[in-house]
């Protein structure tokens, strides 16, 4: 970077939500830095008041089209806590599974479709696929498996309709899940390959004096 | 022949509808081969302005700035399609239209004076002419592909507006309203989702919006016989498509 520089991005692309960025560098030092988030408010916290408890999981899903299950799970856990209800055993495992399906689909979107084109200097994943067809194919295969597992448990790949307080409206048949197993086994290879590929991307060498925190559940 | 220029725009929404495009997996590649994807912030960093053959618009209009943006898009678009409940009917966030915005702002934000929002969250068609409305929260991939295919062939999309009930009958799904007394919105909701909810033994909650000529009054009476109070019936209609259902409801 030169000694003086101004970076102005009116709208950030390939991110979820809407925002802009302004950076002003003078003498190699950042003098001004503005991240402008103009994603409009939708007031979920306000309009949820006064709703019936069983409506909440369907409503909060609409906070985000990429990670609806995250909101649904937080909502059902909160409401179950109020009722003094604990959902355990197979139902809990199925909940974890639908969450994993969302992760497969959303992480695949994030890594391959939103971020990778920046690392490799393309405008989009499709453009990236012209030079690296196998990478795009791998992305599409993984996305498909994530979406299909999601639909198998949730009824459709966005805003699942099966999640409810207390468990599920309907659980998938063992037969259906078993039939899907081989697809998952193939996807496992693609997932490992994806990690290999991603760690070899050229990450900028920056380090901050920051402590990152991550949470984990010893039972899962 | 030049490929038609396609643009995807986002207003107040959750991204769920526009992301049905990468969700199409291989279909994404087909779309990119058929159209010149000129503008799609969610998937592409290069922004190409100018005149668009087809614009897919997601999200409702809920801030003053969005009014300006949608007007400019309309001027630069030949065929404008709204995708989803937000763009077509104001979305779940249109629930605020029934309430006091000031109180809503205060309830959510510590500094409500910084929040620039219009009193109402409204459909795109409230501000500009819309050529086709694709319902759903989220839209179905099949619906979107049909819209794109019909645009290429210069015909109307073959998308039905009858109720979800027809779809249940076709699938052979037992009626949850008749058989289980569940207050299902299927009889007044537009088809297009594949009648998923009743096949999971639960109520349709209207995410595809009102069907053609929805008989809301008669369904409300039926709900009363199931023991729902007038308030509970109102809540049932005040969901994802509250603004659209409310329009019919208000008439009765
Ligand atoms: S209609 Fe539903 S899925 Fe589509 S953007 Fe709006 S909230 Fe998201």
């Amino acid at each position: 970077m030169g000694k003086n520089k101004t970076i102005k991005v009116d709208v950030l692309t390939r991110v979820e939500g809407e925002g802009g960025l302004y950076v002003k560098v003078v003498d190699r030092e950042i003098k001004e830095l503005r991240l402008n988030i103009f994603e409009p408010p939708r007031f979920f916290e306000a309009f949820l008041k006064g709703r019936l408890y069983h409506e909440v999981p369907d409503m909060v899903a609409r906070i985000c089209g990429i990670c609806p299950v995250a909101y649904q799970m937080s909502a059902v856990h909160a409401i179950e806590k109020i009722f003094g209800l604990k959902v355990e055993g197979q139902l809990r495992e199925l909940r974890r599974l639908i969450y994993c399906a969302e992760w497969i689909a959303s992480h695949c979107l994030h890594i391959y479709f939103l971020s990778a084109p920046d690392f490799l200097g393309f405008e989009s994943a499709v453009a990236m696929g012209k030079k690296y067809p196998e990478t795009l194919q791998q992305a599409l295969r993984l996305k498909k498996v994530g979406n299909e597992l999601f639909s198998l448990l949730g009824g459709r790949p966005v805003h699942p309709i099966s999640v409810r307080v207390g468990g599920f409206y309907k659980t998938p048949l063992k037969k259906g899940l078993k039939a899907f197993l081989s697809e998952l086994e193939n996807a496992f290879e693609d997932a490992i390959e994806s990690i290999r590929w991603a760690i070899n991307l050229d990450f900028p060498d920056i380090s901050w004096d920051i402590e990152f925190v991550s949470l984990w559940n010893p039972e899962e | 022949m030049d490929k038609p220029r396609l643009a995807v725009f986002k207003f107040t929404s959750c991204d769920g509808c526009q992301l049905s495009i990468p969700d199409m997996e291989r279909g994404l590649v087909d779309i990119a081969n058929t159209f010149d994807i000129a503008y799609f912030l969610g998937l592409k960093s290069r922004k190409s302005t100018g005149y668009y053959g087809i614009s897919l618009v997601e999200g409702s209009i809920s801030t003053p700035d969005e009014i300006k943006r949608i007007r400019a898009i309309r001027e630069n678009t030949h065929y404008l399609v709204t995708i989803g409940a937000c763009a077509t009917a104001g979305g779940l966030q249109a629930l605020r239209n029934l309430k006091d915005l000031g109180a809503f702002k205060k309830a959510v934000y510590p500094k409500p004076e910084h929040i620039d929002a219009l009193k109402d969250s409204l459909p795109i068609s409230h501000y500009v002419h819309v050529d086709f409305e694709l319902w759903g929260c989220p839209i179905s991939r099949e619906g979107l592909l049909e819209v794109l295919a019909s645009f290429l062939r210069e015909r109307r999309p073959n998308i039905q507006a009858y109720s979800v009930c027809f779809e249940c009958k076709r699938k052979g799904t037992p009626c949850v309203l008749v058989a289980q007394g569940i207050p299902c919105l299927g009889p007044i909701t537009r088809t297009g989702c594949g009648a998923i909810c009743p096949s999971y033994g639960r109520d349709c909650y209207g995410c595809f919006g009102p069907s053609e000529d929805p008989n809301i009054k008669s369904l409300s009476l039926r709900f009363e016989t199931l023991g729902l109070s007038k308030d509970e019936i109102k809540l049932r209609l005040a969901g994802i498509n509250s603004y659209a259902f409310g329009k019919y409801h208000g008439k009765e």
Side-chain angles (χ1 to χ4, degrees):
Chain A
M1 204 189 277
K3 281 177 88 178
N4 298 335
K5 195 169 181 151
T6 306
I7 302 170
K8 191 164 176 278
V9 187
D10 293 329
V11 251
L12 296 166
T13 56
R14 280 188 274 101
V15 286
E16 201 226 354
E18 296 177 287
L21 183 71
Y22 180 83
V23 190
K24 192 170 170 190
V25 181
V26 179
D27 272 344
R28 294 180 161 272
E29 219 177 278
I30 294 178
K31 285 286 175 224
E32 221 180 311
L33 174 63
R34 273 202 311 268
L35 180 66
N36 180 15
I37 306 286
F38 36 85
E39 178 79 30
R42 291 168 74 213
F43 303 105
F44 274 85
E45 301 90 328
F47 65 64
L48 281 170
K49 279 187 202 153
R51 300 299 304 207
L52 303 167
Y53 78 89
H54 57 79
E55 297 178 307
V56 177
D58 296 327
M59 294 175 87
V60 294
R62 271 71 187 180
I63 293 173
C64 175
I66 302 181
C67 55
V69 175
Y71 298 99
Q72 291 193 317
M73 287 304 147
S74 322
V76 293
H77 282 133
I79 295 168
E80 282 157 9
K81 208 165 178 189
I82 297 170
F83 282 130
L85 188 74
K86 218 170 157 97
V87 173
E88 281 167 313
Q90 288 191 343
L91 284 177
R92 174 149 183 116
E93 280 170 29
L94 283 172
R95 279 185 170 176
R96 175 144 172 83
L97 191 61
I98 190 173
Y99 220 146
C100 289
E102 174 170 288
W103 282 344
I104 298 172
S106 75
H107 287 193
C108 178
L109 181 82
H110 180 182
I111 296 170
Y112 285 107
F113 292 87
L114 305 186
S115 300
D118 285 329
F119 281 98
L120 298 171
F122 294 97
E123 61 181 32
S124 68
V126 175
M128 179 177 83
K130 296 228 163 80
K131 180 131 186 245
Y132 302 109
E134 184 38 42
T135 307
L136 181 64
Q137 290 312 320
Q138 182 158 295
L140 294 173
R141 278 197 304 268
L142 263 182
K143 186 95 182 71
K144 187 157 182 275
V145 165
N147 286 346
E148 279 174 7
L149 183 60
F150 202 177
S151 303
L152 194 62
L153 291 148
R156 59 180 171 194
V158 182
H159 301 331
I161 55 91
S162 62
V163 175
R164 69 181 297 180
V165 175
F168 287 89
Y169 283 101
K170 192 176 94 182
T171 50
L173 293 175
K174 207 171 182 178
K175 220 169 47 190
L177 286 175
K178 264 205 173 139
F180 197 71
L181 203 58
S182 64
E183 298 233 19
L184 274 181
E185 277 159 3
N186 293 337
F188 189 66
E189 304 280 310
D190 275 328
I192 300 281
E193 214 25 70
S194 292
I195 295 172
R196 263 192 214 116
W197 172 83
I199 50 177
N200 281 316
L201 290 172
D202 193 11
F203 286 89
D205 184 21
I206 37 173
S207 51
W208 297 279
D209 195 11
I210 289 183
E211 216 166 300
F212 288 103
V213 178
S214 98
L215 301 173
W216 66 294
N217 181 342
E219 281 157 35
E220 283 178 346
Chain B
M1 204 184 83
D2 277 352
K3 291 197 263 181
R5 300 182 81 225
L6 173 119
V8 181
F9 296 99
K10 174 186 153 62
F11 288 82
T12 307
S13 65
C14 85
D15 287 64
C17 286
Q18 55 169 300
L19 288 174
S20 61
I21 296 173
D23 264 352
M24 286 181 200
E25 298 125 19
R26 265 154 242 276
L28 166 68
V29 181
D30 293 338
I31 292 175
N33 286 336
T34 318
F35 291 88
D36 166 15
I37 303 180
Y39 191 101
F40 191 167
L41 295 181
L43 280 191
K44 188 174 173 184
S45 54
R46 192 169 55 83
K47 291 163 268 191
S48 166
T49 49
Y51 197 75
Y52 305 113
I54 178 166
S55 289
L56 306 176
V57 179
E58 174 194 274
S60 65
I61 303 294
S62 80
T63 68
D65 186 58
E66 288 184 327
I67 303 178
K68 283 189 219 141
R69 269 179 59 219
I70 193 61
R71 292 209 167 117
I73 290 167
R74 177 68 270 187
E75 268 173 35
N76 287 306
T77 295
H78 173 64
Y79 190 70
L80 191 150
V81 181
T82 57
I83 53 168
C86 294
T88 308
L92 195 52
Q93 59 273 18
L95 285 175
R96 76 153 176 270
N97 304 5
L98 311 165
K99 298 279 167 67
D100 170 34
L101 181 66
F104 262 39
K105 282 189 188 174
K106 262 195 229 139
V108 181
Y109 297 97
K111 293 205 169 117
E113 63 277 14
H114 291 314
I115 302 299
D116 201 10
L118 294 167
K119 196 203 149 297
D120 290 333
S121 164
L122 291 172
I124 300 296
S125 64
H126 183 84
Y127 293 98
V128 297
H129 172 74
V130 172
D131 296 293
F132 190 78
E133 295 183 319
L134 186 62
W135 292 82
C137 181
I139 54 165
S140 76
R141 298 179 206 183
E142 295 74 21
L144 184 57
L145 283 175
E146 169 58 17
V147 165
L148 295 175
S150 65
F151 170 77
L152 291 174
R153 291 186 186 83
E154 296 182 35
R155 58 166 171 81
R156 291 293 291 175
N158 180 16
I159 287 175
Q160 307 305 327
Y162 50 70
S163 75
V164 174
C165 295
F166 287 81
E167 197 59 39
C168 276
K169 301 296 166 287
R170 199 173 295 134
K171 285 174 79 169
T173 304
C175 177
V176 292
L177 179 69
V178 172
Q180 297 181 57
I182 295 172
C184 179
L185 288 184
I188 55 167
T189 299
R190 187 176 287 251
T191 184
C193 59
I196 318 171
C197 289
S199 74
Y200 275 67
R202 63 164 297 187
D203 54 314
C204 160
Y205 55 95
C207 67
F208 271 63
S211 58
E212 57 191 357
D213 299 325
N215 193 342
I216 296 184
K217 197 168 182 186
S218 151
L219 188 66
S220 303
L221 288 172
R222 183 73 174 88
F223 284 180
E224 277 181 38
T225 67
L226 296 174
L228 267 73
S229 69
K230 289 231 155 51
D231 283 344
E232 281 171 321
I233 295 170
K234 249 198 213 149
L235 273 186
R236 292 250 27 149
L237 296 167
I240 287 163
N241 283 293
S242 61
Y243 185 72
F245 279 116
K247 269 190 174 170
Y248 289 99
H249 202 44
K251 275 193 211 144
E252 278 157 9

